[in-house]
């Protein structure tokens, strides 16, 4: 595991955006593998990375025509046009500004009638795409990845997840009141994340100190889901100073 330390949030974003841009530029589609497959997160941490990718597209440095995306998670019960849904977030922060074909965008359907069946189909769609080439991720204050809360076992695929009180509180800053925060989500599983060929975890700000410490230096334990990444052969924690200073 590599832990990269940068002075500022901007440098963290520069690094992650450059890695993704290089992968896009270096990708040659073939009939067997027509798309570079990116796993994408929401949250405030990846926004500066998305800003850089949009800029690179606008400067004609990259195109998303050969990119396929799978988002990590979505709240159950929010429609795609709800301003706090992750569908809406992705449109507003990335997709509406770039040339990704809409059919290449995948985000869990929080309004699905049959959630277990939807989760199976999402997992299958990732497999059919040939797996995730680069999984970009944020990290929760409690060490969660996507919405895999503490005590989720490491071999779980895409599933329905009840959110912990600490996640509901952390995410309530985006809602008018805490009662409006959904209590359940669909999330790709820790197994889904682990199967990605390369994983880039972003962490900025002092609120992530404990999560990063436990994930990278603590025991591998379901108490801190991201600690599982210690066993992955191609993972980077890309952090600013504040997320590393204890
Ligand atoms: C949510 C998302 C996670 C994200 C986390 C941290 O819970 N489901 O994928 O990593 O928030 O968000 P932020 O980057 O805003 O701290």
């Amino acid at each position: 595991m590599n832990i990269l330390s940068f002075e500022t949030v901007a440098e963290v974003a520069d690094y992650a955006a450059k890695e993704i841009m290089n992968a896009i530029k270096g990708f040659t589609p073939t009939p067997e593998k027509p798309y570079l497959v990116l796993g994408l997160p929401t949250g405030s941490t990846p926004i500066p990375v998305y800003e850089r990718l949009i800029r690179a597209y606008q400067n004609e440095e990259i195109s998303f025509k050969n990119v396929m995306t799978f988002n990590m998670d979505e709240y159950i019960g929010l429609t795609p046009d709800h301003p706090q849904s992750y569908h809406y977030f992705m449109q507003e922060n990335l997709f509406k500004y770039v040339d990704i074909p809409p059919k290449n965008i995948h985000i869990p359907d929080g309004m699905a009638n049959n959630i277990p069946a939807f989760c199976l189909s999402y997992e299958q769609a990732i497999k059919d795409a040939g797996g995730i080439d680069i999984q970009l991720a944020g990290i929760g204050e409690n060490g969660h990845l996507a919405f895999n809360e503490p005590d989720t076992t490491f071999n779980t695929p895409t599933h329905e997840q009840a959110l912990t009180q600490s996640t509901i509180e952390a995410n309530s800053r985006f809602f008018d009141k805490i009662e409006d925060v959904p209590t359940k989500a669909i999330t790709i599983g820790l197994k889904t994340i682990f199967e990605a060929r390369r994983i880039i975890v972003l962490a900025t700000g002092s609120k992530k100190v404990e999560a990063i410490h436990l994930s990278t230096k603590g025991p591998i334990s379901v108490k801190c889901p991201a600690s599982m990444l210690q066993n992955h052969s191609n993972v980077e924690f890309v952090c600013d100073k504040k997320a590393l200073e204890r």
Side-chain angles (χ1 to χ4, degrees):
M1 159 197 323
N2 269 337
I3 304 170
L4 305 185
S5 168
F6 291 98
E7 284 293 312
T8 63
V9 171
E11 287 171 66
V12 167
D14 285 342
Y15 174 82
K18 196 160 146 256
E19 292 302 301
I20 293 170
M21 284 158 57
N22 285 343
I24 293 175
K25 287 180 197 167
F27 178 73
T28 309
T30 63
E32 295 74 39
K33 185 167 172 54
Y35 302 112
L36 179 77
V37 182
L38 300 179
L40 297 180
T42 52
S44 23
T45 316
I47 290 176
V49 179
Y50 294 150
E51 285 169 356
R52 283 156 177 76
L53 295 178
I54 293 167
R55 213 178 306 141
Y57 166 70
Q58 289 169 342
N59 293 340
E60 297 178 13
E61 286 174 61
I62 53 169
S63 160
F64 287 78
K65 283 224 155 67
N66 299 320
V67 171
M68 178 174 275
T69 61
F70 287 90
N71 263 82
M72 297 182 101
D73 44 15
E74 176 60 287
Y75 290 114
I76 290 178
L78 297 193
T79 53
D81 60 350
H82 188 291
Q84 298 312 331
S85 75
Y86 289 168
H87 278 76
Y88 189 88
F89 175 98
M90 289 309 298
Q91 281 304 322
E92 293 301 310
N93 288 291
L94 180 63
F95 295 145
K96 81 176 187 190
Y97 298 105
V98 298
D99 63 344
I100 184 162
K103 69 173 174 53
N104 287 9
I105 296 172
H106 301 83
I107 305 176
D109 178 3
M111 300 301 289
N113 285 328
N114 184 339
I115 297 206
F118 177 82
C119 291
L120 281 175
S121 71
Y122 201 72
E123 198 68 31
Q124 189 58 47
I126 295 174
K127 289 204 167 68
D128 292 346
I132 293 171
D133 294 305
I134 301 181
Q135 177 68 63
L136 187 66
I139 186 166
E141 289 170 31
N142 62 4
H144 74 216
L145 290 173
F147 270 133
N148 291 280
E149 297 283 33
D151 292 324
T152 312
T153 51
F154 292 157
N155 61 357
T156 39
T158 302
H159 63 284
E160 175 176 337
Q161 174 80 51
L163 305 184
T164 61
Q165 193 55 29
S166 93
T167 296
I168 292 172
E169 278 163 23
N171 291 1
S172 67
R173 67 189 194 276
F174 299 112
F175 292 81
D176 290 341
K177 45 186 192 317
I178 194 159
E179 295 77 41
D180 294 344
V181 185
T183 55
K184 291 186 290 186
I186 295 174
T187 180
I188 62 168
L190 292 172
K191 179 169 182 281
T192 327
I193 296 170
F194 199 83
E195 284 170 354
R197 292 181 186 90
R198 179 179 181 187
I199 303 171
I200 300 175
V201 182
L202 307 170
T204 55
S206 53
K207 284 188 172 165
K208 301 296 168 68
V209 165
E210 275 312 301
I212 291 300
H213 177 74
L214 280 175
S215 308
T216 58
K217 305 218 161 46
I220 298 176
S221 157
V222 290
K223 297 290 165 211
C224 176
S227 65
M228 166 200 75
L229 299 179
Q230 292 179 29
N231 281 333
H232 193 280
S233 58
N234 192 358
V235 58
E236 288 157 300
F237 282 82
V238 186
C239 308
D240 72 349
K241 254 187 3 198
K242 288 186 184 154
L244 291 171
E245 267 169 13
R246 285 186 92 215

mmCIF file of all heavy atoms in Angstrom, residues 122 139 141 143 159 224 237:
data_model
loop_
_atom_site.group_PDB
_atom_site.id
_atom_site.type_symbol
_atom_site.label_atom_id
_atom_site.label_comp_id
_atom_site.label_asym_id
_atom_site.label_seq_id
_atom_site.Cartn_x
_atom_site.Cartn_y
_atom_site.Cartn_z
ATOM 1 N N TYR A 122 -26.413 -5.135 -10.883
ATOM 2 C CA TYR A 122 -25.331 -4.122 -10.878
ATOM 3 C C TYR A 122 -23.967 -4.811 -10.833
ATOM 4 O O TYR A 122 -23.045 -4.467 -11.576
ATOM 5 C CB TYR A 122 -25.509 -3.191 -9.679
ATOM 6 C CG TYR A 122 -24.802 -1.856 -9.815
ATOM 7 C CD1 TYR A 122 -25.287 -0.884 -10.689
ATOM 8 C CD2 TYR A 122 -23.664 -1.559 -9.069
ATOM 9 C CE1 TYR A 122 -24.652 0.347 -10.810
ATOM 10 C CE2 TYR A 122 -23.027 -0.329 -9.180
ATOM 11 C CZ TYR A 122 -23.531 0.621 -10.051
ATOM 12 O OH TYR A 122 -22.903 1.853 -10.167
ATOM 13 N N ILE A 139 -13.399 8.398 1.764
ATOM 14 C CA ILE A 139 -13.467 7.533 2.949
ATOM 15 C C ILE A 139 -14.327 8.228 3.994
ATOM 16 O O ILE A 139 -14.268 9.450 4.150
ATOM 17 C CB ILE A 139 -12.042 7.220 3.482
ATOM 18 C CG1 ILE A 139 -12.099 6.206 4.634
ATOM 19 C CG2 ILE A 139 -11.293 8.474 3.882
ATOM 20 C CD1 ILE A 139 -10.740 5.599 4.984
ATOM 21 N N GLU A 141 -15.718 9.102 7.866
ATOM 22 C CA GLU A 141 -15.005 9.379 9.122
ATOM 23 C C GLU A 141 -14.868 8.110 9.959
ATOM 24 O O GLU A 141 -13.975 8.003 10.798
ATOM 25 C CB GLU A 141 -15.751 10.460 9.909
ATOM 26 C CG GLU A 141 -15.630 11.825 9.252
ATOM 27 C CD GLU A 141 -16.563 12.870 9.863
ATOM 28 O OE1 GLU A 141 -16.849 12.788 11.073
ATOM 29 O OE2 GLU A 141 -17.010 13.757 9.116
ATOM 30 N N GLY A 143 -14.283 5.204 8.611
ATOM 31 C CA GLY A 143 -13.517 4.234 7.815
ATOM 32 C C GLY A 143 -14.344 3.532 6.761
ATOM 33 O O GLY A 143 -13.878 2.572 6.145
ATOM 34 N N HIS A 159 -24.932 -4.427 -2.280
ATOM 35 C CA HIS A 159 -26.009 -4.813 -1.348
ATOM 36 C C HIS A 159 -26.706 -3.576 -0.784
ATOM 37 O O HIS A 159 -26.231 -2.444 -0.950
ATOM 38 C CB HIS A 159 -25.438 -5.646 -0.199
ATOM 39 C CG HIS A 159 -24.448 -4.890 0.649
ATOM 40 N ND1 HIS A 159 -23.153 -4.636 0.251
ATOM 41 C CD2 HIS A 159 -24.580 -4.302 1.868
ATOM 42 C CE1 HIS A 159 -22.522 -3.952 1.183
ATOM 43 N NE2 HIS A 159 -23.371 -3.727 2.169
ATOM 44 N N CYS A 224 -13.070 -1.288 10.819
ATOM 45 C CA CYS A 224 -12.651 -0.200 9.918
ATOM 46 C C CYS A 224 -12.618 -0.785 8.506
ATOM 47 O O CYS A 224 -11.600 -1.362 8.093
ATOM 48 C CB CYS A 224 -11.286 0.345 10.316
ATOM 49 S SG CYS A 224 -10.707 1.603 9.166
ATOM 50 N N PHE A 237 -3.364 5.574 -0.873
ATOM 51 C CA PHE A 237 -4.113 6.540 -0.073
ATOM 52 C C PHE A 237 -3.480 7.899 -0.397
ATOM 53 O O PHE A 237 -2.301 8.120 -0.112
ATOM 54 C CB PHE A 237 -3.981 6.238 1.423
ATOM 55 C CG PHE A 237 -4.847 5.096 1.878
ATOM 56 C CD1 PHE A 237 -4.448 3.784 1.707
ATOM 57 C CD2 PHE A 237 -6.083 5.353 2.468
ATOM 58 C CE1 PHE A 237 -5.252 2.733 2.115
ATOM 59 C CE2 PHE A 237 -6.892 4.306 2.888
ATOM 60 C CZ PHE A 237 -6.483 2.997 2.708
#
